[in-house]
Amino acid sequence: RILSESISEITTLLDILNRTKKALIVSLEVHSHADAFVLFESLNNRGLALTPIDLIKNSLLEKADNDASIGIERAYSRWTNWLNNLGGEYRDHERFFRQFYNAFKTQWNLAVPNIPVATRSKLITIFEEMLKGDFNQFADRMDKATNAYKLIITNDGESADLTELEIALKDLSRVEGASSYILMLNLLVNRTEYGLSDSDLTSICRILISFFVRRNLTNTPPTYALDRLFITIAESWNAEGTVPPIEKVRSKLLEVSVSDSVFLERLMGPIYEENGPITRFILVQLAEDHMNNEKWRDLWARVKIGESKEQFRWTIEHVVPQGENMPDEWKTMLGGDLEAERILNEEVHRLGNLTITGYNSTLSNLPFVEKRDRKDNKPPYDYIGYRNGLELNEPLKDADSWTGSDIERRTCELANAALNKFLLNSL
């Protein structure tokens, strides 16, 4: 392609030919795909990275090409089916391959010496060792595991069309509980052997959700300990005995989680400032508890912004506006400049000052009564302010003012509701 009208096509082609003649091809030989990955990562610091999954596929196809009983076409077909089960996101592919090893290394005797937990850098070594064994056994296990993982990560339908287990798995994803997929993968693959019903698996998901709400607000236990926690639970699972399945999980989680008093203290604080996504999850869960089929609203719905980006339609709304430029009307309602400044510094990010709205930008810094009574400017002119029908807004919809004492009272109510919603010692 000619980049400038001042340069002729012939000159450009001759320049390309001259550069090609000067190019050098260097052959580098390594002993394993793991070594190839390390070498490629070192040399290819400006190009498209070669992923561990690419090299695992190469190892698989190389094994199939050298073994007529497998056949490269058959191996490629199985591989394609596995990736289809895992969806189109590379992060899901890599996480599955790590969690496959972590979930089954003891049960299926997959453990590689000196690799107690699969990490990205160890994936190639791990799967090269697996591929030295029986291909059919490996492929059958991958079929079972990827089908189970598909259930864990693929729940994109409307809630009305999903089972209770699928809804629970979706909530587990929303609460950032992906590290527990190690356990859920193991239980789903072994559900027949363990005698687990959909109800059992749903209850286990719900206790995991409670664990992650608490964990992600308090950072206890630390992130580095999570994989080993769920590996331990999976490896210690015993299909025999009289202990209900949920108790096997609950007892392990209680050992490493914060107490209810610590959790409640965190719920009473500036929760939005500490973890916005978990705050939103809590508010949505509390709002959904009071919905039925007639009043159902999808508070997780997304809308497009631009060609490729999406955002939640329903977002967190601060009743008392956040930010330094608080309108004078709000300062007067709150009790003057000093009290307004105190609330801005100490109260604005607490649960009592937060709700969910589909019209955050419309409400913005409006006076309280205008926020409360705001209606859409399009038919059927529904309420979009605090009279929008969400049970979460009951203390707001009939109030004539909003002050620090109102925030304190509503914070206590919502924090205790959240504590009861996400208890570990009772479900």
Side-chain angles (χ1 to χ4, degrees):
R1 181 181 176 183
I2 299 173
L3 301 179
S4 172
E5 293 182 359
S6 63
I7 302 176
S8 71
E9 184 174 354
I10 293 177
T11 301
T12 301
L13 292 174
L14 288 173
D15 181 58
I16 293 173
L17 177 62
N18 186 47
R19 291 173 184 268
T20 303
K21 288 180 177 179
K22 292 180 179 180
L24 297 176
I25 297 176
V26 179
S27 175
L28 299 174
E29 294 185 4
V30 293
H31 297 293
S32 69
H33 284 88
D35 292 339
F37 177 68
V38 173
L39 179 63
F40 191 88
E41 287 286 276
S42 300
L43 297 177
N44 190 44
N45 63 346
R46 293 186 181 180
L48 183 64
L50 191 63
T51 70
I53 308 305
D54 293 328
L55 286 167
I56 292 171
K57 179 180 76 172
N58 291 346
S59 293
L60 176 74
L61 297 180
E62 181 181 27
K63 179 180 178 68
D65 193 37
N66 294 328
D67 188 338
S69 66
I70 301 174
I72 196 165
E73 292 297 328
R74 176 168 162 251
Y76 184 76
S77 176
R78 299 291 283 272
W79 176 268
T80 301
N81 184 60
W82 300 335
L83 291 196
N84 286 339
N85 284 341
L86 299 176
E89 295 290 335
Y90 175 78
R91 66 174 185 176
D92 290 330
H93 299 174
E94 184 180 305
R95 186 175 59 209
F96 166 79
F97 279 87
R98 285 189 286 105
Q99 294 188 331
F100 177 87
Y101 176 79
N102 293 336
F104 302 111
K105 65 184 176 68
T106 298
Q107 178 185 348
W108 289 341
N109 196 29
L110 305 177
V112 178
N114 301 317
I115 305 181
V117 178
T119 60
R120 184 177 188 271
S121 62
K122 298 296 184 181
L123 270 184
I124 302 161
T125 300
I126 289 169
F127 278 85
E128 282 187 338
E129 287 299 313
M130 287 188 200
L131 288 167
K132 290 177 181 178
D134 182 83
F135 173 81
N136 289 324
Q137 183 183 63
F138 170 78
D140 289 344
R141 288 170 171 174
M142 286 289 287
D143 286 345
K144 292 178 183 178
T146 57
N147 275 308
Y149 216 73
K150 180 179 180 180
L151 176 63
I152 293 172
I153 65 173
T154 310
N155 294 298
D156 295 329
E158 296 292 330
S159 293
D161 301 324
L162 299 178
T163 67
E164 290 297 316
L165 175 56
E166 289 170 336
I167 293 171
L169 287 167
K170 180 177 271 194
D171 283 339
L172 186 58
S173 170
R174 289 166 173 163
V175 80
E176 301 173 4
S179 56
S180 67
Y181 293 174
I182 295 169
L183 174 61
M184 292 307 303
L185 177 61
N186 184 285
L187 298 183
L188 284 165
V189 168
N190 292 298
R191 61 181 301 173
T192 301
E193 291 81 354
Y194 294 165
L196 297 173
S197 65
D198 277 7
S199 178
D200 292 328
L201 292 165
T202 301
S203 295
I204 291 169
C205 262
R206 287 295 166 197
I207 199 72
L208 289 171
I209 289 165
S210 293
F211 166 78
F212 276 104
V213 170
R214 301 163 74 107
R215 186 269 148 203
N216 290 339
L217 269 186
T218 62
N219 291 317
T220 304
T223 302
Y224 69 80
L226 293 176
D227 280 356
R228 291 181 184 274
L229 169 65
F230 294 110
I231 291 171
T232 299
I233 298 175
E235 291 182 344
S236 63
W237 198 276
N238 186 349
E240 301 175 356
T242 59
V243 179
I246 192 171
E247 295 303 330
K248 296 179 182 181
V249 178
R250 189 202 312 274
S251 61
K252 295 291 185 182
L253 299 182
L254 280 170
E255 290 175 7
V256 298
S257 298
V258 297
S259 65
D260 286 349
S261 60
V262 172
F263 180 44
L264 181 60
E265 180 183 0
R266 195 59 60 93
L267 289 168
M268 290 288 292
I271 183 173
Y272 177 80
E273 193 172 39
E274 294 179 359
N275 194 320
I278 295 302
T279 303
R280 186 182 188 282
F281 182 85
I282 291 171
L283 290 171
V284 168
Q285 290 274 299
L286 294 178
E288 288 180 345
D289 280 348
H290 296 278
M291 293 183 185
N292 54 36
N293 289 337
E294 293 181 355
K295 298 194 301 182
W296 183 262
R297 302 187 191 188
D298 183 4
L299 302 181
W300 294 100
R302 289 180 174 271
V303 293
K304 283 191 173 182
I305 51 170
E307 294 184 3
S308 59
K309 292 185 178 181
E310 290 184 339
Q311 67 181 19
F312 289 122
R313 185 188 186 286
W314 293 80
T315 57
I316 290 180
E317 148 76 2
H318 288 73
V319 182
V320 174
Q322 59 177 329
E324 296 180 359
N325 299 318
M326 183 182 291
D328 290 339
E329 221 172 319
W330 269 105
K331 292 179 181 179
T332 300
M333 177 181 287
L334 294 173
D337 289 350
L338 289 178
E339 177 64 2
E341 184 177 359
R342 185 194 71 79
I343 289 174
L344 192 62
N345 291 331
E346 300 175 11
E347 308 283 346
V348 74
H349 295 309
R350 298 177 72 194
L351 275 176
N353 193 53
L354 305 174
T355 187
I356 296 176
T357 175
Y359 297 85
N360 200 321
S361 60
T362 302
L363 301 180
S364 189
N365 285 357
L366 289 176
F368 176 77
V369 172
E370 289 187 40
K371 284 189 176 190
R372 183 194 68 190
D373 298 340
R374 188 77 167 182
K375 290 186 175 181
D376 197 353
N377 58 10
K378 300 175 184 177
Y381 307 108
D382 291 332
Y383 282 108
I384 62 175
Y386 303 145
R387 290 180 171 172
N388 62 8
L390 288 183
E391 185 74 17
L392 194 64
N393 291 332
E394 277 297 304
L396 299 165
K397 72 181 184 67
D398 295 322
D400 293 322
S401 62
W402 199 250
T403 64
S405 60
D406 295 310
I407 294 174
E408 179 68 26
R409 181 175 60 255
R410 185 165 175 265
T411 295
C412 288
E413 292 171 357
L414 292 180
N416 279 283
L419 173 65
N420 292 324
K421 174 75 176 175
F422 302 111
L423 286 173
L424 279 182
N425 55 14
S426 176
L427 189 69

